[in-house]
Amino acid sequence: MRLSSPVYTLKRHAKLLARDKGIRLHEALNQIATKEGFSDWSHLASRCFKATPAKEIMRRLDPGDTVLIGARPGQGKTLLGLELAVLSAKNNGTGYIFSLDYNETEVWDRFERLGFDPKDYDGPIVVDTSDDICAAHIIERLGNATDRAVVVVDYLQLLDQKRSNPPLQEQVRSLKKFAIESGSIVALISQIDRAFELSSSSMPSIDDRPIWAAL
């Protein structure tokens, strides 16, 4: 069943409804769900939050894994990476977002599009949009990370934009080593090479920076 608005918008409507009518939030959520054609909010949530690509990826990943998420612009790479971080927080871990593509406000705006509310989760989300982001910066920031940490880097090709930073391949090796030693999961977001659009292949290969593949 298609919702009239995104889930995060429906939650916002419920909060306003609870405030305006002086009722409990769960009652307001149930009223909103009923208008959407569901018996209650839990019914809506169970139907709308079943399998997602992020959940499928997380099921396949183990502590110490490094994964590459690649696609053309506008295909949802960043939202996928953010959902991985949310899933970590949901499971009492820590989600780290290192972005050289967006500022902190923009990152949190995208979390809101996912319906993410930090108060709903046991683990924290850490957002870093520093211009100093590189493999060394990430490793230093996560010095005491546990095996429940998910690290999302958005995006890979910008890590060596500063001439003072090591070559990209060297940074990837450092992040992979760190993931193994710390038991963290590192997700590297990457743009697919434009040349792939001119190829005869129906799916990108490792040379095109694949949609997702274990490194």
Side-chain angles (χ1 to χ4, degrees):
M1 183 180 296
R2 187 179 181 86
L3 299 178
S4 62
S5 302
V7 172
Y8 70 86
T9 300
L10 296 179
K11 282 187 174 181
R12 186 180 301 151
H13 291 167
K15 290 178 181 178
L16 292 174
L17 181 64
R19 184 187 64 188
D20 293 342
K21 291 192 173 184
I23 60 177
R24 295 179 181 273
L25 179 58
H26 76 270
E27 295 178 57
L29 287 168
N30 287 338
Q31 289 187 25
I32 294 293
T34 300
K35 290 181 180 180
E36 294 293 322
F38 297 90
S39 59
D40 54 30
W41 184 261
S42 62
H43 182 207
L44 183 152
S46 66
R47 292 288 298 274
C48 297
F49 298 111
K50 289 185 177 179
T52 66
K55 290 178 181 177
E56 178 62 25
I57 291 174
M58 283 294 284
R59 278 196 290 269
R60 299 189 183 199
L61 294 176
D62 296 313
D65 281 349
T66 302
V67 65
L68 185 66
I69 301 171
R72 296 293 303 126
Q75 299 301 306
K77 300 184 300 298
T78 298
L79 286 177
L80 175 60
L82 297 185
E83 188 176 351
L84 292 176
V86 168
L87 290 173
S88 177
K90 184 176 181 180
N91 292 304
N92 203 31
T94 303
Y96 292 85
I97 307 297
F98 293 91
S99 179
L100 284 161
D101 199 29
Y102 298 104
N103 62 44
E104 186 167 350
T105 299
E106 291 171 330
V107 172
W108 286 112
D109 284 346
R110 281 159 176 77
F111 271 124
E112 186 177 356
R113 288 172 59 184
L114 291 172
F116 172 71
D117 185 341
K119 297 188 296 294
D120 294 338
Y121 296 88
D122 296 324
I125 294 287
V126 177
V127 176
D128 187 332
T129 58
S130 165
D131 290 337
D132 297 326
I133 292 174
C134 64
H137 175 88
I138 294 169
I139 292 169
E140 181 180 1
R141 184 76 190 268
L142 274 83
N144 297 317
T146 69
D147 59 1
R148 300 186 69 84
V150 172
V151 183
V152 179
V153 182
D154 186 21
Y155 58 90
L156 183 61
Q157 286 93 331
L158 296 179
L159 289 180
D160 63 351
Q161 63 180 347
K162 284 187 176 181
R163 293 184 178 181
S164 58
N165 290 342
L168 186 58
Q169 187 175 7
E170 182 178 330
Q171 293 193 60
V172 171
R173 282 197 296 265
S174 296
L175 289 171
K176 182 176 181 180
K177 180 181 178 183
F178 171 77
I180 293 172
E181 292 177 347
S182 67
S184 302
I185 292 174
V186 176
L188 304 171
I189 295 175
S190 175
Q191 300 282 18
I192 291 291
D193 195 325
R194 289 183 180 275
F196 169 71
E197 296 178 351
L198 302 177
S199 71
S200 58
S201 175
S202 60
M203 291 290 289
S205 70
I206 189 67
D207 293 329
D208 301 302
R209 300 185 177 93
I211 291 178
W212 79 273
L215 296 180

